[in-house]
Amino acid sequence: MKRVLIFGLPGSGKSTLAEKLTEILGNADWHNADKIRETFDDWDFSPEGRERQSLRMRDYVRKSVAKGNYGIADFVCPTNELREKNVPEYVVWMNTIEEGRFEDTNKMFVKPEKFNFQVTTQDAKKWAPIILKEIK
């Protein structure tokens, strides 16, 4: 099973794609950043807070893979450094919008140096089956 990172700006369609991909994979756990932040009551979006969140996401995904499932992390993950620390085996960049709704995130978001798949439209029903074939 693989560790999958779906990242992009807020509002780019990450959660919609992650939900659809989880559904069609069957043996997958979907880890949504907002739900995990809520669990930890940690809404710190400073660089330190974002790194802490990235490591949490990484740990949740690793636990999914350890129990024999795909682990899907769905979060902004705005820098190449954070993406690498997340240690994904398959990376999906949601490149569907120019700007998100949070100016601080827009300012720190860096286009990725590495990714396996780039999604260019918000159409999870179209993209999820294509990504599924690549992941398997």
Side-chain angles (χ1 to χ4, degrees), residues 5 8 13 18-19 25 33-34 36 40 42 47 55 60 71 74 77-78 91 128:
L5 169 61
E19 182 176 28
L25 273 167
D34 291 338
I36 291 173
F40 286 88
D42 184 353
L55 296 175
Y60 271 82
D74 146 29
C77 207
V91 179

Side-chain angles (χ1 to χ4, degrees), residues 4-19 22 29-45 49-61 71-78 82 86 101-102 105:
V4 179
L5 169 61
I6 299 175
F7 78 96
L9 288 167
S12 62
K14 298 177 299 296
S15 297
T16 303
L17 179 63
E19 182 176 28
T22 300
D29 297 328
W30 167 28
H31 304 290
N32 174 273
D34 291 338
K35 289 180 182 177
I36 291 173
R37 281 187 182 279
E38 187 175 311
T39 297
F40 286 88
D41 193 24
D42 184 353
W43 301 96
D44 177 5
F45 291 93
R50 289 177 188 267
E51 181 168 358
R52 189 170 51 249
Q53 178 69 358
S54 179
L55 296 175
R56 277 190 200 119
M57 298 294 289
R58 180 196 67 196
D59 292 344
Y60 271 82
V61 167
I72 300 174
D74 146 29
F75 70 118
V76 173
C77 207
L82 289 178
N86 203 257
R101 61 188 176 274
F102 303 109
T105 302

